[in-house]
Amino acid sequence: PADNRVGNLAYVSLSDCCRGERNGKTKLKADDVRGIRTRVSAGELYRVIADDFGITAATIASIVSGRTWGHVR
């Protein structure tokens, strides 16, 4: 059950609350993202990397471009 007492609430932006690992639906951790970028830099195919993580090649492209997980360096 949620604790919705006023003293327990805080104003946060959507990007603050649901970004990266804090998003309950993510399949990746920050270290995974760093590893993905390293593997892409080494020339590994997006599809191969995506299969290893159970995600799509389009997700790999978004990570590499910084559209998603851009806050992870």
Side-chain angles (χ1 to χ4, degrees):
D3 184 355
N4 294 327
R5 291 176 291 130
V6 173
N8 195 46
L9 301 178
Y11 287 101
V12 295
S13 70
L14 183 60
S15 64
D16 287 337
C17 110
C18 300
R19 191 174 177 179
E21 293 180 37
R22 290 186 224 148
N23 177 340
K25 294 183 180 183
T26 187
K27 293 183 177 182
L28 302 172
K29 303 272 187 213
D31 285 341
D32 296 332
V33 172
R34 290 183 195 98
I36 287 168
R37 290 182 179 143
T38 299
R39 290 171 68 177
V40 167
S41 294
E44 198 165 342
L45 297 175
Y46 287 17
R47 176 82 260 150
V48 172
I49 300 168
D51 287 345
D52 287 347
F53 287 96
I55 58 178
T56 66
T59 300
I60 300 293
S62 292
I63 290 168
V64 171
S65 72
R67 191 170 72 82
T68 56
W69 292 92
H71 62 285
V72 174
R73 296 285 168 220

